[in-house]
Amino acid sequence: MRQIPVDTSAAIVMVAKTPQVKVRDRRTGEIATDVETGAKLMTVDVMFAANEEVEILSITVPEPGITGELAMGTPVALTGLIARPWENDFNGQRRHGIAFRAVAVTSLANANAAAGPKAA
């Protein structure tokens, strides 16, 4: 499956919704896990602002990759963000979209506080 790296260097990224456990099967309640490591997968919704546009992206992250307090509005860094196009047929309906996955989501709240107030 094609993976497209996403450049976040010019973006402002903030938590829109706190991390939630990713459910693989809603009927059974099975929790999604990383195929390679077995780590529990989490979903973090972020506000991604770049090029004068803002979108809410839902990003899948292994639980060990979530670092710091990720409350709503917390500025974050996204490490290893990739986009994967997907499509499937469900009940005769063709669906498609883009799935986002990151190696880590790291709070920048402490880094900004340590830098101190900026001069006007």
Side-chain angles (χ1 to χ4, degrees):
M1 183 179 293
R2 183 175 177 160
Q3 297 183 10
I4 304 164
V6 179
D7 179 13
T8 61
S9 62
I12 296 171
V13 185
M14 288 189 229
V15 174
K17 185 177 177 184
T18 57
Q20 308 289 313
V21 174
K22 183 171 182 154
V23 178
R24 180 176 181 168
D25 187 332
R26 291 185 185 140
R27 291 172 293 165
T28 65
E30 179 185 0
I31 303 300
T33 57
D34 185 280
V35 175
E36 294 175 10
T37 66
K40 181 172 27 173
L41 293 177
M42 307 292 286
T43 302
V44 182
D45 289 355
V46 298
M47 179 204 72
F48 190 93
N51 303 321
E52 297 187 25
E53 293 185 23
V54 177
E55 292 188 52
I56 301 296
L57 304 180
S58 187
I59 301 174
T60 299
V61 184
E63 188 175 38
I66 295 177
T67 308
E69 178 81 25
L70 297 185
M72 184 185 291
T74 303
V76 292
L78 303 174
T79 304
L81 182 64
I82 59 163
R84 273 189 207 159
W86 61 268
E87 69 177 52
N88 64 24
D89 289 314
F90 184 72
N91 290 336
Q93 300 252 345
R94 180 161 290 247
R95 298 175 52 193
H96 63 276
I98 299 173
F100 293 93
R101 178 144 179 179
V103 172
V105 176
T106 307
S107 171
L108 297 177
N110 291 339
N112 289 343
K118 293 184 179 181

